[in-house]
Amino acid sequence: MYNIAICDDEIIYSEIIKNILEKELENYDGEYTIRTFGSSDDYLRYLKNEKDSNLLILDVEMPGMGGIELKEYLNNMESPCNIIFVTNHTEAMGDAFGKNVIGFVNKTLLSEKLPVYIKKAVMRKKDDRKFIAAKGSTVKMSDILYIKAEKKYTVIYCKDRECFSDKSITEWESELKGCDFFRCQRSYIINLGFIKMIERGRVEIYGGARIPVSRKLDAELDKIYDEYLIRSI
């Protein structure tokens, strides 16, 4: 089941978004649900008793807790939910980026732009590859925060667990080629989607880990992360 939530205090926009979703998902090869919420508080009350959403289409400006605040709250909860922001306030665009954010759509361009990000969200769900870790256990690519080399093996740090692997860090680098991962130091590969802050010589990952960055790779990381953010627009 693909669970979709719309969180917008303006009913007219919720209906427009729902109609676009239903049109784009006509050929979706699976079951899905669409639920609408008028505020962040309504959505959080729903989450207390129900499974997390796979996709949240979220207004930036709402009474009470706004969309940016809700995104940060969900990040702190380690929510896997993908987010598409919608707003009339493009000045908030910079604050909207972050973990699991697929894109940012001006409400005046919903019919034109929103279908692009809906397709991207659906493809992200379909393309969430699984990798063999060790002893037959698997990890989803979207769950990997970073990978660390430990002598002859590697440790895969995920959202909710750690896994050991017999693969070398170089083998992981090869397997993840073309995905949103970056080898920032000889012993570390990081998931660009979980970067919280980049500082000179290190990067902070959501969850609190601080990963060293090789001095010769500082500029390359900045460039690759900027390209990642642009792809997410």
Side-chain angles (χ1 to χ4, degrees), residues 13-24:
Y13 282 116
S14 290
E15 288 300 315
I16 292 171
I17 292 167
K18 186 176 180 182
N19 290 337
I20 294 172
L21 277 164
E22 289 173 344
K23 182 178 180 181
E24 290 302 313

Side-chain angles (χ1 to χ4, degrees), residues 13-200:
Y13 282 116
S14 290
E15 288 300 315
I16 292 171
I17 292 167
K18 186 176 180 182
N19 290 337
I20 294 172
L21 277 164
E22 289 173 344
K23 182 178 180 181
E24 290 302 313
L25 294 171
E26 281 179 355
N27 298 316
Y28 179 67
D29 56 350
E31 297 182 349
Y32 68 88
T33 62
I34 301 174
R35 295 180 174 86
T36 59
F37 303 89
S39 69
S40 297
D41 288 339
D42 287 345
Y43 181 66
L44 290 175
R45 278 192 289 269
Y46 162 80
L47 286 185
K48 286 183 179 179
N49 302 308
E50 301 291 340
K51 287 181 64 177
D52 210 343
S53 303
N54 300 109
L55 174 63
L56 173 61
I57 301 181
L58 180 59
D59 188 17
V60 171
E61 291 287 330
M62 292 183 289
M65 181 188 288
I68 305 295
E69 294 173 273
L70 178 57
K71 178 204 73 169
E72 293 299 331
Y73 184 89
L74 295 174
N75 285 346
N76 290 333
M77 290 172 57
E78 298 297 331
S79 169
C81 178
N82 289 312
I83 296 172
I84 301 172
F85 278 108
V86 294
T87 187
N88 286 318
H89 300 272
T90 54
E91 68 275 8
M93 185 174 173
D95 295 325
F97 286 117
K99 183 177 72 170
N100 297 334
V101 176
I102 292 177
F104 186 100
V105 181
N106 191 303
K107 285 184 174 180
T108 62
L109 300 172
L110 284 174
S111 297
E112 178 185 347
K113 297 292 186 181
L114 186 57
V116 175
Y117 294 115
I118 293 170
K119 289 184 176 73
K120 185 180 287 190
V122 172
M123 288 305 298
R124 182 175 289 190
K125 186 176 190 298
K126 288 181 178 179
D127 290 344
D128 193 7
R129 287 188 280 162
K130 292 184 178 180
F131 296 93
I132 303 298
K135 297 181 180 179
S137 65
T138 60
V139 292
K140 290 170 62 178
M141 185 166 63
S142 62
D143 286 340
I144 299 173
L145 303 176
Y146 63 96
I147 301 172
K148 181 182 180 183
E150 291 283 358
K151 296 183 179 178
K152 294 183 179 181
Y153 60 91
T154 47
V155 183
I156 307 165
Y157 291 84
C158 300
K159 295 175 183 177
D160 56 355
R161 62 190 173 119
E162 298 174 13
C163 301
F164 291 90
S165 172
D166 295 331
K167 295 175 185 174
S168 68
I169 196 78
T170 300
E171 287 175 310
W172 276 114
E173 183 181 22
S174 177
E175 282 213 38
L176 293 167
K177 187 176 181 179
C179 303
D180 292 322
F181 286 81
F182 179 71
R183 188 170 180 179
C184 61
Q185 199 246 20
R186 63 181 298 177
S187 298
Y188 289 92
I189 295 172
I190 57 174
N191 186 337
L192 299 176
F194 288 101
I195 289 178
K196 185 175 184 180
M197 182 185 302
I198 296 177
E199 300 175 340
R200 194 57 54 200

Side-chain angles (χ1 to χ4, degrees), residues 212-229:
V213 177
S214 171
R215 281 186 297 176
K216 65 181 181 181
L217 294 176
D218 270 328
E220 186 177 353
L221 175 58
D222 288 340
K223 178 177 178 290
I224 286 176
Y225 188 59
D226 285 345
E227 292 171 351
Y228 165 78
L229 293 178

